[in-house]
Amino acid sequence: MKAIIISIGDELLKGHRVNTNAPFIARELGGIGIAVSRIVACSDDPQAIRDTVASALADAEAVLVTGGLGPTSDDRTRDAVRELLGRGLVLDEPSFERLADYFRRRRRPVTDAMKDQAMVIEGAAAIPNTKGTAPGMMIECAPRFAGRYLVLMPGVPAEMEAMMRLTVIPFFAPLSGAFIRHTPVMTMGIGETLLAEMIAEVEEALPSGTTLAYLPHAAGVSLMVSTSGACREAVDAENRHVVEAIVAKAGHFVYATSEETLEEVVVRTLLDRKLTVAVAESCTGGLVGSRLTDVPGSSGCFLEGLVTYSNQAKARLLGVDPAIIERHGAVSEPVAAEMARGCLLNSGADIAVATTGIAGPGGGTPEKPVGTICVGVASKSSDGSVQVEATRLAMYGDRRQNKIRFSEAALRGLLVRLKAMES
């Protein structure tokens, strides 16, 4: 079964809003073996909606539409589709009762005008809206589009997501006739070109039912291994074989084969080993601490974070000798090492990380250009001694990109040290 996703709204075409609905729908469909062949953004114009939906129904067995089902004047999807299919509207009583109850609980009057939101296209099965007011619709499109299914859902992400999980996916799952397995391979500390060279043999030998996608992001690149077929066991085995081959080639650059962020892996590792962490940040301005504390449960391992942006703060709060700053510069391995050491000793944590760098756009020199980052990591060994290391790296991007990449380097340094402490 093939699917097409249509996202309706002038705001998408004008760049006022990012289309987050389509990726969610595609992932959910992929999980039940339905491949998405096309994602389309369409304006609120009724003729454009009719033309776009008609083209999609001619090309795919399932067409999923979001947007244009609300009560305002620019919500035109329902009437445009009704005209396309040559059908009328009927009141869906359960939808109207849910709508009326929604307004009663908010102490707002229930009027006859509200019935319009509960009107669905003739022959459609209403999809309950558990997060809002307007119902969705599941439509078999015969006779004009025999064997085609059309799904209409609101554009509000929470409403659409609930409809997908509770109604749409359970409906289509038995009809897909295929299985798809997606496995992410999360990498750190390696660029797309080098990674491609490293796993070239694996990519060249991919089985016919498996694809490999490169997913660059601000902090680096990850991979997605996708395998499809008619037999679940065969699909799982083939997908697992390719993932294992990639991990064998990429080695320590792979930190997870699941949808985990680097900070999630770091926090999980800390919690599993009952260790605590503290951070001292200069160029990242608190971003490392923010990413770690974004992870639920991080209070079990995160002790404290300091933003020591000035040289004076590095000396006063972390005990960095001003003479070291004067001799080597604030952005240097010795200063990063002393920042990490001071953070570890002052906080009482088991491991600490420190960042100092030049995010840009100014402040660089030929010796230390914009994008230079020094990461210090300090930890306590079993005999109570302190182990400190510092690394200098070069990043390339604007200020925001560099800060993200700097924070990624700090988290990577934490994870590498945690793995070394385990061995």
Side-chain angles (χ1 to χ4, degrees):
M1 177 176 277
K2 182 169 66 173
I4 293 174
I5 299 170
I6 301 174
S7 300
I8 293 176
D10 289 341
E11 68 277 8
L12 300 174
L13 298 173
K14 293 176 180 177
H16 295 159
R17 184 163 296 177
V18 176
N19 182 6
T20 60
N21 286 344
F24 175 87
I25 295 171
R27 286 194 299 269
E28 291 294 305
L29 292 175
I32 58 171
I34 297 179
V36 175
S37 64
R38 192 159 75 245
I39 295 174
V40 183
C42 175
S43 76
D44 293 313
D45 176 68
Q47 187 60 54
I49 295 172
R50 288 192 291 270
D51 291 345
T52 303
V53 172
S55 174
L57 287 171
D59 192 42
E61 293 88 350
V63 176
L64 293 87
V65 180
T66 62
L69 294 184
T72 60
S73 59
D74 61 345
D75 291 314
R76 301 164 182 156
T77 300
R78 182 190 63 186
D79 288 337
V81 170
R82 175 185 63 78
E83 294 170 6
L84 172 67
L85 299 178
R87 300 184 186 183
L89 294 174
V90 296
L91 178 67
D92 183 69
E93 290 289 353
S95 294
F96 179 65
E97 287 304 317
R98 276 190 293 270
L99 180 66
D101 183 61
Y102 178 91
F103 283 101
R104 288 191 196 104
R105 284 186 282 109
R106 288 158 178 78
R107 298 182 179 181
R108 295 172 62 182
V110 179
T111 66
D112 287 341
M114 291 179 182
K115 286 188 176 181
D116 183 65
Q117 282 196 71
M119 301 292 285
V120 301
I121 295 171
E122 189 176 10
I127 303 175
N129 190 338
T130 60
K131 301 292 185 180
T133 57
M137 286 169 252
M138 186 90 69
I139 308 168
E140 291 189 47
C141 298
R144 181 175 177 183
F145 301 98
R148 298 320 203 218
Y149 293 94
L150 178 62
V151 180
L152 306 182
M153 295 177 288
V156 178
E159 297 179 25
M160 176 276 298
E161 290 172 11
M163 289 184 182
M164 285 291 296
R165 286 173 172 151
L166 296 175
T167 304
V168 178
I169 292 301
F171 175 84
F172 281 109
L175 305 177
S176 69
F179 299 95
I180 297 180
R181 171 69 66 186
H182 300 290
T183 302
V185 180
M186 313 298 286
T187 72
M188 60 180 187
I190 188 170
E192 186 175 3
T193 301
L194 183 57
L195 181 60
E197 293 175 356
M198 191 172 289
I199 64 171
E201 291 183 9
V202 178
E203 192 166 6
E204 290 170 1
L206 287 177
S208 59
T210 299
T211 61
L212 177 63
Y214 290 80
L215 308 175
H217 49 82
V221 61
S222 294
L223 305 170
M224 183 65 74
V225 180
S226 301
T227 305
S228 60
C231 174
R232 182 187 297 275
E233 291 76 13
V235 166
D236 288 346
E238 186 173 285
N239 187 269
R240 184 169 56 252
H241 174 75
V242 173
V243 170
E244 290 173 351
I246 291 173
V247 172
K249 291 288 186 181
H252 67 276
F253 292 110
V254 176
Y255 70 84
T257 55
S258 61
E259 290 283 3
E260 279 189 297
T261 63
L262 187 51
E263 53 265 35
E264 287 173 334
V265 174
V266 170
V267 168
R268 175 169 53 79
T269 304
L270 288 164
L271 293 174
D272 287 347
R273 298 178 58 190
K274 296 180 172 55
L275 299 175
T276 56
V277 65
V279 300
E281 305 181 59
S282 182
C283 56
T284 45
L287 184 55
V288 178
S290 176
R291 290 181 62 175
L292 287 171
T293 55
D294 279 344
V295 181
S298 56
S299 59
C301 62
F302 187 87
L303 293 189
E304 64 182 53
L306 295 172
V307 178
T308 54
Y309 212 66
S310 68
N311 291 343
Q312 293 81 359
K314 293 177 178 65
R316 177 167 50 88
L317 298 175
L318 299 173
V320 179
D321 188 345
I324 295 178
I325 299 176
E326 179 68 25
R327 185 179 311 118
H328 300 282
V331 180
S332 63
E333 292 98 313
V335 169
E338 289 306 300
M339 289 174 65
R341 186 194 305 274
C343 183
L344 182 80
L345 297 178
N346 293 344
S347 67
D350 297 301
I351 188 170
V353 65
T355 63
T356 178
I358 306 169
T365 67
E367 295 78 21
K368 298 176 184 178
V370 169
T372 299
I373 169 72
C374 294
V375 176
V377 181
S379 61
K380 296 175 183 175
S381 60
S382 57
D383 61 4
S385 61
V386 175
Q387 306 294 320
V388 185
E389 291 180 355
T391 305
R392 175 173 166 175
L393 302 167
M395 308 292 178
Y396 303 93
D398 59 27
R399 185 177 182 85
R400 181 176 177 277
Q401 290 171 327
N402 281 336
K403 287 185 68 175
I404 293 173
R405 290 165 182 169
F406 290 174
S407 70
E408 193 84 354
L411 293 170
R412 185 167 70 243
L414 276 175
L415 187 58
V416 169
R417 175 58 65 87
L418 285 169
K419 289 181 177 180
M421 291 168 65
E422 189 175 27
S423 60

